[in-house]
Amino acid sequence: MPKHASDNHNSLKAVRIGIDTYQESVVYMRDDCHICRAEGFGVQTRVRVQAGAQSILARLNVVESLADLLPAGHIGLSKIAWDRLGLEEGGSVSISHPAWVNSLSYVRSKIFEHPLNQRQLQAIVNDVLAGRYTDVHIASFLTACANHLDIDEIAYLTQAMVDVGTRLEWPEADIVVDKHCIGGLPGNRTTPIVVSIVAAAGLTIPKTSSRSITSPAGTADTMEVITPVDLDLESIRRVVREQGACLAWGGNVSLSPVDEILIRVEKAMDIDSQGQLVASVLSKKIAAGSTHVLIDIPVGRTAKVRSKSAAQALQRVFEQVGGRLGLVVKPVITDGSQPIGRGIGPAFEAEDVLAVLGNLDDAPDDLRARALFLAGQILEMAKVEAPGSGENRARELLSSGAAWHKFKAICAAQGGFRELPVPSYRYSVLADRDGVVKAIDNRKLARLAKLAGAPNARAAGVRLLVKVGDKVVRGDPLIELCAETSGELKYAQTYLEQASGMIQFRRS
Amino acid sequence: MPKHASDNHNSLKAVRIGIDTYQESVVYMRDDCHICRAEGFGVQTRVRVQAGAQSILARLNVVESLADLLPAGHIGLSKIAWDRLGLEEGGSVSISHPAWVNSLSYVRSKIFEHPLNQRQLQAIVNDVLAGRYTDVHIASFLTACANHLDIDEIAYLTQAMVDVGTRLEWPEADIVVDKHCIGGLPGNRTTPIVVSIVAAAGLTIPKTSSRSITSPAGTADTMEVITPVDLDLESIRRVVREQGACLAWGGNVSLSPVDEILIRVEKAMDIDSQGQLVASVLSKKIAAGSTHVLIDIPVGRTAKVRSKSAAQALQRVFEQVGGRLGLVVKPVITDGSQPIGRGIGPAFEAEDVLAVLGNLDDAPDDLRARALFLAGQILEMAKVEAPGSGENRARELLSSGAAWHKFKAICAAQGGFRELPVPSYRYSVLADRDGVVKAIDNRKLARLAKLAGAPNARAAGVRLLVKVGDKVVRGDPLIELCAETSGELKYAQTYLEQASGMIQFRRS
């Protein structure tokens, strides 16, 4: 018997069945398929699917032969499975059992609180990248690591994530700066402003951002409303060479491909853990070729980090892991007591960013002040300005129009300006009493904007029309809620009726 | 505008699309569907599907309109979605956004090590039962709880799991006994023997067992080879009334329906955690109406519990949680150093059980001795026998044929005997040296049996032909590996080649 005879027996004609299963590969096989019988495949089995030199793991859904979805001798592939295998119409695939995934035993060991070593974390990262983990396995890994990784483990995880991705190099620059906000503060869209100021000062800042994890918008989501962000590696290199900076989405260039996979599952779980956070941020910074990184850690009762002491702990983790990996990291603790700017959601936040950069009269003061502080810190960190004078220099670069000019040049290099989208459905929330705004709940506002459709619906979100300390009179508008579809607007309105304390008042 | 106008706009003709997605409901909608656009539904969105008074949550897969899988105005439903809604051909469903799942915030809070209170665990259990958790959420909940539940939390979880299920009552019996082995020891199939002995002594023991979680066979899998086990509530009541005992699968009677859901995900994750284990076991015992429960905790280097101290810790958790819930629980620590009996896998284990019950000459001594010990403990616990004399009484009931008679009567009441299935593919592993067996790895043997297809393939598994201390000569058979398909046999053989130390020798 020839060695590969059984492989030929396991061959089926591939059909692009036209079902979109997002990032999880699914294949569809008939319940009377000889391979299912011969291999003992059942519903939900994980199978290895091979086409030429390419192979993937996929989940099996069994199709009733009577249902006429698939001819005998054929296998259906979901969109992502078809694309990953690079199949052509009429191609064949062979199906087999996947090998045992050894690194899953490390995940189990981590669940029972045994620390993971470098080799184990490398194996896990490699297997995740190869698609050997189901979402259930990834969820378990992320949960086991949430809050339970020590400095060694975070450094190993970060390094492993860098190793499997692409790494940018900037031989022309000795210092390459970057910034990152750990999030949790709606509307805190300082990045485009800071990048423009810092680049206007002549520094190199190849900024790649992620899309939203659990928030109503990530910087990539917001920038995408203004200009193309899905640049490939070559475009990023070109834009940074021309402008000293870019404002691109990191997911398209495989800087940290495993991070993108983990973030997808984190998003479904709606959690965001400390070790994972540090590994995610620093892996992308290292891969982007950065040498000096500023981290913005907003602290507030309803922010991601709720206490000064938690912020200081996170600060230390960033510094220690950065130090291990040869990176200068400066984490700064900032006020996270209420949303920044007016807009929450991609298009609304873009509006605020453009107002600050354009020096418009109605630009939100808090966003402007925050961006100037952060840009100043970077200028000092990179030793372009003396300690204490960074913020003034940043203010000059913004008010002179130099930052606005730089921002426009970056967008032009990335593919030009886009027109901001306009929402189709609006609903205004009015004050039902007189009073002074006492507190604003970041989390509830973020959830409201998400329920309205942000960030997938670009024009959807919330415009917050008051700040803590503002005096309001019954009937004054507090929030403008916007959606692209009536279903989403209704969904958000339902939440608005249920959620109490989103904006709290005291008597004036 | 009439109040339900939008509901009518969200109505689609339902089609049973003939795809089996196991326990996860999936619906298929066209990418040009007006509802997807109006509601902002995208790939992988969770949607609420309503048909009359029934509603479920389902995952959305988007189908290309060009692919011709679905006519316009139609929605496809996977098998389980169709069945759960109780749809008829030609029926309609309406689609909407699911409400926000509040209890997920408790899961997040648990990830960050905040203990859960009674109300929070009730909410989580209710939402899991209602299908509001995806597998990713369940995996995260299970991982967060693994090794991190205190006695209060385990008691609350257990009670919440009992509350959402059916509860049996046995007004005729003051004492209702039960037994459970926490597993991890291949071939340790004492339950059918213990139940038969104890019931022959006149005690009430309404035994419901689960299918395998992570092992090559659960008691329900093994018993199903011999007799029907998927009894409904009425049949269980009848069999126990007639025979004082049953040997049924618990999953068909909703004794602890949430446990079945959690176990399915635990199986995919291949973990089994202490708090979850205790809640799973005790919730089913309480729901079955038990008052006195014996727990078998095998300890061994490659068993589920690896050290005496870990076993004692588990013992205490069982006793404390049992005490909280008004149950007498007696956990006994037993030898778990090597597999019990010869067979590993449903049919092979059934063979061993029948040999012991039938007093056959070649019945495995270790299985017999263990069953007698456990049955004796139960007789003493229920005060049917004085301390120290339980095992002797158990021996009499077994050797007299009383237990065998009782077993046959139970099977007859459950629907009669079945013929044991025979595997199609066999492979013998022979000793490659002379020596004495020093150690046998429970985990590796269990994995081998699973790779061969156990427990889904009933006839598949391993027959272990040696015990620790046995002298073997080069060429002696050590293991017989059996499968129902050639693919699974090959898969197990591949593992056999890779795994070292499954059976270890020393020079004689």
Side-chain angles (χ1 to χ4, degrees), chain B residues 86 125 129 301 352 428 440 468:
Chain B
V125 165
L129 183 66
R301 220 169 40 81
D352 286 354
S428 287
I440 299 175
V468 170

Side-chain angles (χ1 to χ4, degrees), chain A residues 6 16 18 20 37-38 59 62 64 69 79 98 100 108 113 137 140 143 148 268 270 447 485 490-491, chain B residues 6 16 18 20 37-38 59 62 64 69 79 98 100 108 113 137 140 143 148 268 270 447 485 490-491:
Chain A
S6 66
R16 195 176 177 290
D20 189 343
R37 282 206 312 273
R59 177 150 50 161
V62 170
E64 290 168 8
L69 283 175
K79 269 186 178 178
W100 185 267
R108 279 190 290 281
E113 294 177 359
H137 297 136
S140 184
T143 306
H148 291 100
D270 206 5
R447 187 175 293 179
T485 72
K490 212 165 75 184
Y491 195 29
Chain B
S6 64
R16 195 177 176 290
D20 190 344
R37 284 207 309 273
R59 179 152 46 164
V62 170
E64 290 168 6
L69 282 176
K79 269 187 180 178
W100 185 267
R108 278 190 291 282
E113 294 179 357
H137 297 136
S140 182
T143 307
H148 292 100
D270 207 5
R447 189 176 292 181
T485 71
K490 213 165 75 183
Y491 195 30

Side-chain angles (χ1 to χ4, degrees), chain A residues 234-312:
Chain A
E234 217 22 76
S235 308
I236 288 182
R237 287 203 186 97
R238 178 185 49 76
V239 174
V240 175
R241 217 162 10 202
E242 286 173 24
Q243 300 299 335
C246 66
L247 280 157
W249 175 47
N252 213 19
V253 290
S254 290
L255 286 181
S256 187
V258 165
D259 187 53
E260 293 289 323
I261 297 173
L262 299 181
I263 279 181
R264 175 178 59 84
V265 178
E266 279 198 303
K267 192 169 171 173
M269 291 160 65
D270 206 5
I271 66 156
D272 215 3
S273 79
Q274 179 172 296
Q276 196 56 49
L277 170 73
V278 172
S280 166
V281 172
L282 296 188
S283 67
K284 283 178 290 197
K285 302 307 172 204
I286 294 170
S290 307
T291 59
H292 291 66
V293 180
L294 183 82
I295 309 282
D296 175 9
I297 306 178
V299 181
R301 218 167 43 79
T302 59
K304 188 179 284 177
V305 177
R306 304 194 207 189
S307 70
K308 188 91 189 264
S309 62
Q312 286 164 337

